[in-house]
């Protein structure tokens, strides 16, 4: 007589005895629902010196009828977004720039669907093509574990080509061995062309601040894609308060800072 009802026992009983149901542990695991469909939309903004949107237009035709509906709703909202004030050579100035906005379709409690902003400029660094962020394997270091921030100032010409790369916070101190990482990032930035900066309708030579957060531990140097990027794009919530101050100070010390200005309107998670 079988007294211990193991999964194997129940499976045998289900075939031999009608009405005996196998243990739930033998049932197929529920399949996780697929992620919401996401549409990436490229928008060209022209903002006034005070950060108000003067003009917003979509770049590229919709991929289908659904994307066309999303673009219409997105464009209507985008005209009400606000950006940080932008000044050029000490005076408020209009600037034109491109942002990538991801919108996802999510179900509602009423059984319908809604359009939700997933993020803006998430890992969309420049429209000139995807830049290859080099891996950090093989770099060793000595020193304390923790969190460090690197700031670089990149001077570019009117076409977006780098002219000079320098440390924007030269007083920062890093563990021994991280100089190899600094050299690698400087080389990357030296060859990384950006979209031309447009101020008052004309391309200008200007300077950009690149922010990179490094977390050395016993495994190695860890750098996440969402913890590095241009000052205008990086998610400040991932930085420590003192690091935010450092980044803002570096930007304030750059009188010829390139547009675009940082967006002020909170978008992520909002409905269109």
């Amino acid at each position: 007589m079988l007294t211990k009802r193991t999964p194997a026992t129940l499976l045998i009983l289900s075939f031999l005895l009608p009405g005996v149901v196998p243990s739930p542990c033998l049932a197929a695991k529920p399949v996780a629902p697929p992620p919401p469909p996401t549409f990436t939309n490229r928008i060209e903004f022209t903002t006034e010196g005070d950060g108000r949107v003067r003009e917003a237009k979509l770049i590229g035709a919709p991929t289908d009828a659904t994307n066309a509906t999303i673009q219409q709703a997105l464009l209507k909202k985008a005209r009400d977004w606000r950006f940080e004030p932008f000044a050029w050579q000490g005076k408020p100035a209009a600037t034109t720039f491109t942002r990538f906005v991801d919108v996802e379709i999510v179900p509602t409690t009423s059984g319908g669907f809604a359009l939700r902003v997933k993020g803006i400029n998430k890992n969309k660094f420049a429209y000139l093509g995807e830049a290859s962020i080099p891996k950090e394997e093989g770099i060793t270091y000595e020193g304390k574990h923790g969190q460090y921030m690197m700031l670089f100032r990149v001077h570019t010409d009117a076409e977006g080509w780098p002219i000079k790369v320098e440390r924007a916070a030269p007083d920062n101190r890093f563990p021994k061995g991280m100089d190899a990482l600094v050299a690698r990032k400087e080389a990357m930035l030296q060859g990384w062309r950006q979209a031309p900066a447009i101020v008052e309708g004309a391309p200008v030579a200007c300077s950009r601040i690149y922010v990179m957060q490094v977390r050395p531990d016993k495994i190695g140097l860890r750098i996440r894609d969402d913890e590095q990027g241009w000052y205008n794009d990086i998610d400040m919530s991932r930085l420590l308060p003192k690091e935010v101050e450092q980044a803002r100070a570096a930007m304030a010390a750059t009188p010829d800072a390139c547009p675009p200005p940082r967006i002020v309107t909170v978008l992520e998670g909002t409905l269109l």
Side-chain angles (χ1 to χ4, degrees):
M1 181 176 179
L2 297 174
T3 57
K4 186 177 181 181
R5 295 193 174 187
T6 62
T9 302
L10 290 174
L11 182 59
I12 294 172
L13 290 174
S14 68
F15 285 101
L16 298 179
L17 302 176
V20 176
V21 181
S23 170
C25 66
L26 297 178
K29 293 182 179 180
V31 179
T38 301
F39 295 81
T40 298
N41 306 271
R42 180 179 161 200
I43 304 179
E44 183 181 273
F45 290 94
T46 297
T47 58
E48 304 287 0
D50 62 1
R52 289 181 296 109
V53 175
R54 176 195 296 176
E55 183 182 10
K57 60 182 180 181
L58 286 154
I59 306 298
T63 55
D64 52 33
T66 301
N67 192 204
T69 301
I70 292 174
Q71 287 189 348
Q72 292 175 5
L74 182 60
L75 198 59
K76 184 178 179 180
K77 282 280 189 179
R79 295 190 177 101
D80 296 327
W81 294 350
R82 294 295 297 267
F83 293 80
E84 289 183 350
F86 178 77
W88 180 252
Q89 297 179 344
K91 297 180 180 180
T95 179
T96 301
F97 52 90
T98 299
R99 301 283 82 177
F100 292 87
V101 184
D102 291 335
V103 177
E104 57 187 0
I105 303 176
V106 294
T108 62
T109 55
S110 61
F113 293 90
L115 303 178
R116 183 172 63 192
V117 178
K118 186 177 181 180
I120 182 168
N121 251 48
K122 292 289 185 181
N123 301 322
K124 310 293 192 310
F125 293 104
Y127 72 77
L128 297 171
E130 293 185 4
S132 57
I133 304 296
K135 302 296 182 183
E136 315 308 337
E137 291 90 348
I139 295 180
T140 59
Y141 69 94
E142 298 174 12
K144 295 181 179 180
H145 302 160
Q147 181 170 309
Y148 302 86
M149 186 176 69
M150 296 181 181
L151 295 172
F152 299 92
R153 183 177 289 107
V154 183
H155 303 274
T156 59
D157 62 18
E159 295 182 350
W161 287 106
I163 301 172
K164 179 183 178 182
V165 178
E166 62 186 7
R167 293 276 295 277
D171 58 333
N172 279 16
R173 297 290 181 266
F174 304 111
K176 183 180 179 181
M178 286 181 66
D179 51 345
L181 175 60
V182 173
R184 185 178 294 186
K185 287 300 177 180
E186 287 177 339
M188 180 201 78
L189 294 170
Q190 190 68 56
W192 192 2
R193 184 190 177 192
Q194 297 301 302
I198 306 299
V199 177
E200 296 293 353
V204 297
C206 56
S207 300
R208 294 173 167 87
I209 298 296
Y210 190 84
V211 182
M212 185 175 68
Q213 196 177 68
V214 185
R215 300 184 183 188
D217 57 25
K218 62 182 180 180
I219 298 176
L221 296 175
R222 293 185 294 145
I223 304 176
R224 292 166 49 113
D225 282 347
D226 55 1
E227 292 178 347
Q228 63 176 328
W230 301 107
Y231 171 87
N232 300 327
D233 297 332
I234 193 168
D235 184 357
M236 290 291 189
S237 66
R238 293 191 174 275
L239 304 181
L240 298 175
K242 65 177 182 180
E243 293 175 334
V244 173
E245 292 179 7
Q246 286 180 308
R248 293 191 182 280
M251 195 68 175
T254 308
D256 61 340
C258 299
R262 287 182 62 84
I263 190 165
V264 174
T265 305
V266 177
L267 299 179
E268 194 164 340
T270 61
L271 300 180
L272 298 179

